């Protein structure tokens, strides 16, 4: 998946169902068998009431965790080192996606209620720009070489491209389907977006803002929304909201290595590259925990958490962060074997 412009990067390879069974059969498995290997160390109270939270973004160098408090229309900033909220910002109606970009000294948040992307100074927490355009902005990615921000417009079926130097929209990429999450792949220097209603990943050249490849899945991974790119190992972990499954995609061969069961209605994924541990949070209240071993995932267990469809991890401390909507706290956990 290099950013080459030769004909070999184009086309629509179809991913077969390598598991040989229906997705529905996966859901009959006892999802709660076994231990998660996670130990709770704190519950940090969050402001704004016990309502829905969405994406999170952690600046590991500063310890600032940006949390989208979707139900309250606020952007919450937690100092994870001090274990307390240091800012609670208004002006983010129905906020969904958030991404901290330390090299730009900015955090970008999708204010869906205002159909715009809000740009925030990541130190002063002052709003520096509002970029209108997307109908339903959601996931956000940053391409460092081009200094461009890519934003999923879920119901608008496009990816919006924002110039980080001018905070202006420079391109709109038609996806031919609803946009799920958008991620940057440092290995190919491309941006990848889940086109959930087409069961596809669309690969975008960030310099030209054009789609250079589409990867199509069958129903083994249905309605892909959240995903994570493990660039060093050339893998992508893709959650199927419609199938309740996780696909492990080899980015070299564009073939699925595995299809694994996860909680129903999965959303956000987080990966600890040091421990090789993947967390997949689901709206149904379960976090699936996997370990990466030689390019494959091994199921480590399940963690019950009410409506914990958002998860973040600090690769330095290995702490895992789960905002819990029903109780209005940020649950902090640590893997039992990382002490």
């Amino acid at each position: 998946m290099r950013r080459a412009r030769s004909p070999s990067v184009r086309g629509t390879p179809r991913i077969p169902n390598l598991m040989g069974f229906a997705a529905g059969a996966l859901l009959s498995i006892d999802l709660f068998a076994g231990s998660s290997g996670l130990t709770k160390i704190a519950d940090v109270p969050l402001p704004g009431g016990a309502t829905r939270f969405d994406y999170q973004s952690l600046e590991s160098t500063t310890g600032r965790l940006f949390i989208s408090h979707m139900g309250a229309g606020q952007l919450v900033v937690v100092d994870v080192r001090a274990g307390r909220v240091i800012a609670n910002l208004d002006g983010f109606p129905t906020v969904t996606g958030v991404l901290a970009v330390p090299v730009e000294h900015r955090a970008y948040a999708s204010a869906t209620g205002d159909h715009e992307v809000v740009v925030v100074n990541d130190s002063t927490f002052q709003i520096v720009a509002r970029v209108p355009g997307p109908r339903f902005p959601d996931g956000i990615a940053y391409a460092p070489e081009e200094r461009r921000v890519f934003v999923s417009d879920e119901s608008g079926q496009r990816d919006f491209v924002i110039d980080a130097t001018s905070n202006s929209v420079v391109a709109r990429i038609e996806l031919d389907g609803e946009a799920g999450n958008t991620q940057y792949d440092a290995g190919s220097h491309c941006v990848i977006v889940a086109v959930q209603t087409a069961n596809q990943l669309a690969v975008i050249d960030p310099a030209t803002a054009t789609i250079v490849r589409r990867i199509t899945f069958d129903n083994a991974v249905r309605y892909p929304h959240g995903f994570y790119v493990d660039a060093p190992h050339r893998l992508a972990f893709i959650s199927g909201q419609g199938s309740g499954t996780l696909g492990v995609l080899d980015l070299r061969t564009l073939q699925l290595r595995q299809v694994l069961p996860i909680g129903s209605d999965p959303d956000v994924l987080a990966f600890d590259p040091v421990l090789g541990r993947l967390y997949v949070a689901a709206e149904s209240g379960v976090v699936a925990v996997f370990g990466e071993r030689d390019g494959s995932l091994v199921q480590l267990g399940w963690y019950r958490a009410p409506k914990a469809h958002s998860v973040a991890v600090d690769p330095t401390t290995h702490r895992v962060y789960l905002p819990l909507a029903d109780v209005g706290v940020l649950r902090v956990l640590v893997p039992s074997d990382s002490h």
Side-chain angles (χ1 to χ4, degrees):
M1 287 173 54
R2 298 295 301 173
R3 198 175 37 169
R5 295 169 177 79
S6 65
S8 63
V9 302
R10 300 188 181 272
T12 309
R14 180 167 289 276
I15 305 299
N17 183 348
L18 301 183
M19 300 303 291
F21 47 72
L26 293 172
L27 302 183
S28 65
I29 297 173
D30 181 5
L31 294 183
F32 301 105
S35 169
S36 67
L38 291 171
T39 302
K40 185 183 84 169
I41 59 173
D43 275 346
V44 179
L46 293 174
T51 57
R52 180 186 173 101
F53 297 92
D54 210 346
Y55 287 90
Q56 307 173 76
S57 185
L58 176 68
E59 288 184 348
S60 294
T61 55
T62 64
R64 290 187 289 251
L65 178 65
F66 294 82
I67 305 173
S68 293
H69 196 166
M70 186 178 182
Q74 296 170 327
L75 188 64
V76 182
V77 188
V78 177
D79 182 334
V80 297
R81 295 171 183 169
R84 61 183 179 87
V85 173
I86 57 173
N88 187 36
L89 311 179
D90 292 315
F92 299 81
T94 322
V95 59
T96 55
V98 62
L99 180 70
V101 183
V103 295
E104 299 289 349
H105 303 291
R106 298 286 186 265
Y108 299 84
S110 295
T112 300
D114 283 343
H115 314 290
E116 64 186 11
V117 177
V118 183
V119 187
V120 179
N121 184 293
D122 68 355
S123 297
T124 66
F125 309 132
Q126 297 297 308
I127 294 174
V128 297
R130 293 182 179 270
V131 186
R135 184 186 303 172
F136 193 103
D138 193 19
I140 305 173
Y142 176 75
E145 293 180 8
E146 293 77 15
R147 296 185 67 186
R148 287 180 164 183
V149 177
F150 289 73
V151 182
S152 306
D153 184 1
E154 186 166 2
S155 58
Q157 303 191 0
R158 293 181 289 188
D159 232 50
F160 271 69
V161 186
I162 298 172
D163 183 336
T165 64
S166 64
N167 294 318
S168 61
V169 174
V170 294
R172 298 167 177 82
I173 304 168
E174 299 294 334
L175 298 172
D176 300 321
E178 287 183 0
N181 200 1
T182 298
Q183 296 278 340
Y184 177 71
D185 174 19
S188 67
H189 305 286
C190 288
V191 171
I192 304 176
V193 56
V195 188
Q196 53 200 24
T197 50
N199 261 26
Q200 291 180 341
L201 295 183
V203 183
I204 298 168
D205 181 333
T208 63
T210 57
I211 296 174
V212 295
R213 166 170 281 158
R214 290 181 183 267
I215 305 166
T216 303
F217 303 97
D218 63 15
N219 285 334
V221 182
R222 189 170 68 254
Y223 203 82
H225 180 79
F227 67 101
Y228 180 90
V229 177
D230 178 8
H233 294 101
R234 306 310 301 134
L235 296 174
F237 309 118
I238 306 123
S239 65
Q241 281 194 338
S243 54
T245 56
L246 178 73
V248 180
L249 177 67
D250 188 320
L251 291 172
R252 297 185 181 93
T253 66
L254 302 184
Q255 297 295 311
L256 282 180
R257 292 188 178 185
Q258 295 172 283
V259 178
L260 302 162
I262 50 179
S264 60
D265 200 11
D267 196 349
V268 179
L269 295 80
F271 185 67
D272 184 334
V274 178
L275 295 183
R277 192 154 299 183
L278 178 71
Y279 304 93
V280 185
E283 190 86 38
S284 54
V286 60
V287 179
V289 185
F290 298 93
E292 185 182 16
R293 306 287 185 271
D294 300 321
S296 297
L297 293 182
V298 177
Q299 190 97 50
L300 299 180
W302 309 85
Y303 183 81
R304 290 179 182 266
K307 295 187 179 179
H309 71 278
S310 176
V311 60
V313 63
D314 187 337
T316 303
T317 64
H318 313 299
R319 291 183 175 183
V320 177
Y321 299 96
L322 299 174
L324 304 183
D326 285 358
V327 289
V329 301
L330 177 66
R331 178 151 297 170
V332 185
L333 306 109
V334 65
S336 304
D337 55 1
S338 68
H339 293 277

